[in-house]
Amino acid sequence: MTTAYALAVLAWLSRFLPRQWLYAIAETAASLALPLLERRRIRIRNNLQRIHPEHTPAQLNRDTAEVIAETARYYVDLALLPSISPRVVLDRHLHVAGLDHLLDAHRSGRGVVLTTAHISNPEVAVKALAALDISAVALVERLDDQDHLDAVNAARAAVGIEFLTASQTGIASALRTLRAGGVVCILWDRDRQGGGACVPFFGRQARFPVGAIDLAIRAKAEVLPLYAVRRPGPDRLQFNVTFLPPLDLLLKGNRALDTRTNTANLARLFEPIIEEHAHFWRVPESPWAPCRDTPWDDLHPRDQPAEVRT
């Protein structure tokens, strides 16, 4: 079943079934599909073991199943959210903390790179931007399956924000948005295109994309982290959304080094967040493997004395 067909079926079913039923169907399907997703399941479990080495095998298995179930819920979100207005999403489905950080950064006029991780459904925060009449675009990763990307982007675009593929054209448009004082949304924790940097992450080197930091440096924009976590309870379409203070960028005039240093800082900021919500972290490949899974013994750039920073 293609993604486009699945989303169309879910959207059609949402006209007749309570959304709780749709989530229950998705969760059941995810559970039944576990034997067919063995390679993905093992990779996710290995990630969770890196994050929580103290967990028992049973705990790791439960959390792995929860990551796969959360991915299924994400696709139900994609089918449901286009039919709900941004204002209703903000007022009835999001429980927001730190909104002043976003509003203050946006009022500065410098442009804002709004960045987050694949925790639950980060795109619900984008819906809030539309409700607040904040001009924004979102940069999304390129996929080998173009039909999959087109179907997902069509559902995403219904939130009122333009979604752009992270190509040269998309990046140029994002830079224009930032330089005009707008907002660019981008995920930082999944390097599918292979151009990232190896930085410290849970005690070992892991590779993450540098796009969020690179855009901010080039446009002299703010970097504002956030994360969204699905709330427990019968209504699955409820999220805690937290906007964090702007990242304190370390800039020494060497763009390549500054990009890598601040990407490391971003990964470090998200470590405790991902640790707490690892069962919702929807990354099915190892970020450590491209860096040969080597330990990180050096001081973090932020912990180095100022006189030895380069």
Side-chain angles (χ1 to χ4, degrees), residues 116-307:
T116 187
H118 286 80
I119 300 172
S120 284
N121 184 353
E123 292 159 23
V124 294
V126 175
K127 194 97 171 181
L129 296 180
L132 296 168
D133 293 324
I134 294 177
S135 172
V137 299
L139 275 180
V140 296
E141 61 198 1
R142 287 176 288 185
L143 300 177
D144 295 333
D145 187 343
Q146 187 61 41
D147 290 339
H148 177 106
L149 180 61
D150 291 343
V152 171
N153 279 350
R156 288 165 165 168
V159 306
I161 301 294
E162 184 180 8
F163 281 78
L164 304 172
T165 303
S167 61
Q168 284 188 336
T169 301
I171 292 169
S173 180
L175 284 169
R176 287 194 297 270
T177 297
L178 290 172
R179 288 165 179 157
V183 176
V184 171
C185 309
I186 185 170
L187 293 158
W188 70 268
D189 64 332
R190 195 174 179 193
D191 186 28
R192 294 183 64 120
Q193 298 180 35
C198 291
V199 300
F201 191 62
F202 288 99
R204 305 184 82 81
Q205 294 187 70
R207 192 174 72 190
F208 294 114
V210 299
I213 299 298
D214 185 60
L215 281 172
I217 291 174
R218 291 168 67 182
K220 298 181 180 179
E222 300 268 19
V223 176
L224 193 73
L226 81 139
Y227 61 99
V229 179
R230 197 180 306 272
R231 290 164 64 96
D235 186 357
R236 297 298 199 188
L237 200 60
Q238 296 288 326
F239 297 86
N240 290 327
V241 178
T242 303
F243 293 92
L244 299 172
L247 199 66
D248 183 16
L249 295 180
L250 297 173
L251 301 176
K252 297 296 180 180
N254 181 324
R255 183 174 146 196
L257 182 59
D258 288 345
T259 299
R260 182 180 175 280
T261 297
N262 288 290
T263 298
N265 190 29
L266 186 62
R268 189 191 204 195
L269 174 70
F270 270 91
E271 266 193 24
I273 298 167
I274 291 173
E275 183 176 18
E276 181 179 358
H277 304 292
H279 58 295
F280 285 155
W281 191 42
R282 300 184 297 101
V283 174
E285 60 276 321
S286 170
W288 296 277
C291 303
R292 299 183 180 179
D293 200 27
T294 52
W296 184 269
D297 298 322
D298 297 338
L299 286 175
H300 187 277
R302 183 165 288 281
D303 295 332
Q304 295 179 17
E307 61 270 15

Side-chain angles (χ1 to χ4, degrees), residues 1 8 12 36 48 56 86 88 103 129 139-140 157 168 194 246 287:
M1 180 184 294
W12 180 79
L36 304 176
L48 294 175
T56 65
V88 170
L103 298 178
L129 296 180
L139 275 180
V140 296
Q168 284 188 336

Side-chain angles (χ1 to χ4, degrees), residues 14-193:
S14 69
R15 297 161 55 190
F16 308 102
L17 298 178
R19 65 171 175 262
Q20 289 88 342
W21 289 24
L22 295 179
Y23 285 109
I25 291 169
E27 290 165 358
T28 300
S31 177
L32 293 174
L34 280 175
L36 304 176
L37 302 172
E38 184 63 9
R39 292 180 65 183
R40 174 177 289 238
R41 189 192 72 82
I42 290 172
R43 290 196 300 266
I44 292 171
R45 191 182 188 279
N46 288 343
N47 286 349
L48 294 175
Q49 192 167 31
R50 285 275 183 234
I51 297 167
H52 286 293
E54 77 284 1
H55 280 187
T56 65
Q59 286 176 299
L60 292 171
N61 290 338
R62 285 195 299 270
D63 285 350
T64 301
E66 183 64 17
V67 171
I68 293 172
E70 185 65 2
T71 302
R73 296 182 197 113
Y74 165 79
Y75 284 102
V76 178
D77 297 342
L78 279 184
L80 293 176
L81 284 171
S83 65
I84 307 174
S85 74
R87 175 51 61 179
V88 170
V89 172
L90 179 60
D91 291 344
R92 300 184 185 177
H93 298 280
L94 305 185
H95 306 262
V96 181
L99 185 59
D100 285 347
H101 295 309
L102 170 63
L103 298 178
D104 290 345
H106 185 245
R107 281 193 290 262
S108 75
R110 294 180 53 195
V112 180
V113 175
L114 198 59
T115 188
T116 187
H118 286 80
I119 300 172
S120 284
N121 184 353
E123 292 159 23
V124 294
V126 175
K127 194 97 171 181
L129 296 180
L132 296 168
D133 293 324
I134 294 177
S135 172
V137 299
L139 275 180
V140 296
E141 61 198 1
R142 287 176 288 185
L143 300 177
D144 295 333
D145 187 343
Q146 187 61 41
D147 290 339
H148 177 106
L149 180 61
D150 291 343
V152 171
N153 279 350
R156 288 165 165 168
V159 306
I161 301 294
E162 184 180 8
F163 281 78
L164 304 172
T165 303
S167 61
Q168 284 188 336
T169 301
I171 292 169
S173 180
L175 284 169
R176 287 194 297 270
T177 297
L178 290 172
R179 288 165 179 157
V183 176
V184 171
C185 309
I186 185 170
L187 293 158
W188 70 268
D189 64 332
R190 195 174 179 193
D191 186 28
R192 294 183 64 120
Q193 298 180 35

